[in-house]
Amino acid sequence: YRLSKKLLRKIMTSTGKNAITKSELAVLIALLQICDNNYLVEDLHYSELIIKDNDGKGNISTKSYYNAIRGLKEKGFISYDDARGYRTIHILNNKIKKKEHYLSLNYNMFCPGTPENKTYAALPLGAQKLTLYLLFVGHPKFGYTANLIQIKESMGYKSEYLLHRYIKLLTPIF
């Protein structure tokens, strides 16, 4: 249920053919929610991973799951071992040191089947990444304030218009 600053930075800054896709991000978040303290998911069969499509219906297809897992491995987000259709997956770049800041994924928007998850899943990839960023820099007691220039630089956005559009889309979540 925890996302490290290092892994979040990799999600935000990967570009080109190494950029994470929407389905890869969904699978990665699902893996983070079921991994153990060593960031391992042992003996996982694709049918055990519950992820809703953008319309909030059903699990992702078998092909989408395998494409996302392969993509995450090729881009350096995970490594895995195969055995008879089951995989042991290791999430990379997510070691959290004592007293290091991390993002808890214990929000309804990341739990399949909730109305919040349906709203989150319908967002464009850029808005989903912005959500993760704002949750990371936000403070539960003091709110989610961030400088637009800082967000733009941190996330590698070139267009302020796009950033404003994503922020508007996040209104129902925040």
Side-chain angles (χ1 to χ4, degrees), residues 6-21 24-25 28 71-72 75-77 125 129 154-156:
K6 186 175 181 180
L7 184 56
L8 180 62
R9 186 178 296 122
K10 185 173 175 76
I11 290 168
M12 298 300 167
T13 59
S14 59
T15 58
K17 66 178 185 174
N18 288 324
I20 194 166
T21 67
E24 290 167 350
L25 181 59
L28 183 61
L72 288 169
K75 295 169 186 175
F77 288 97
L125 177 61
K129 289 170 137 182
S154 296
M155 297 186 65

Side-chain angles (χ1 to χ4, degrees), residues 103-134:
L103 170 61
S104 170
L105 296 174
N106 195 17
Y107 290 92
N108 282 343
M109 75 179 83
F110 303 121
C111 298
T114 63
E116 295 88 347
N117 180 259
K118 187 174 182 180
T119 302
Y120 176 78
L123 294 172
L125 177 61
Q128 288 182 356
K129 289 170 137 182
L130 180 59
T131 301
L132 293 174
Y133 178 81
L134 290 174

Side-chain angles (χ1 to χ4, degrees), residues 18-90:
N18 288 324
I20 194 166
T21 67
K22 193 170 177 177
S23 61
E24 290 167 350
L25 181 59
V27 169
L28 183 61
I29 288 173
L31 291 172
L32 284 165
Q33 290 179 321
I34 61 173
C35 69
D36 65 16
N37 290 335
N38 295 316
Y39 302 102
L40 284 174
V41 180
E42 297 190 63
D43 300 327
L44 179 71
H45 191 265
Y46 81 90
S47 62
E48 298 172 83
L49 199 62
I50 300 171
I51 300 173
K52 301 292 180 177
D53 286 332
N54 291 343
D55 62 359
K57 296 178 184 172
N59 294 335
I60 64 170
S61 69
T62 306
K63 182 179 178 183
S64 295
Y65 166 80
Y66 284 112
N67 286 342
I69 291 292
R70 186 176 57 252
L72 288 169
K73 182 178 182 180
E74 289 170 358
K75 295 169 186 175
F77 288 97
I78 64 170
S79 64
Y80 61 79
D81 299 319
D82 277 327
R84 301 173 318 278
Y86 291 86
R87 290 194 164 148
T88 298
I89 298 172
H90 183 247

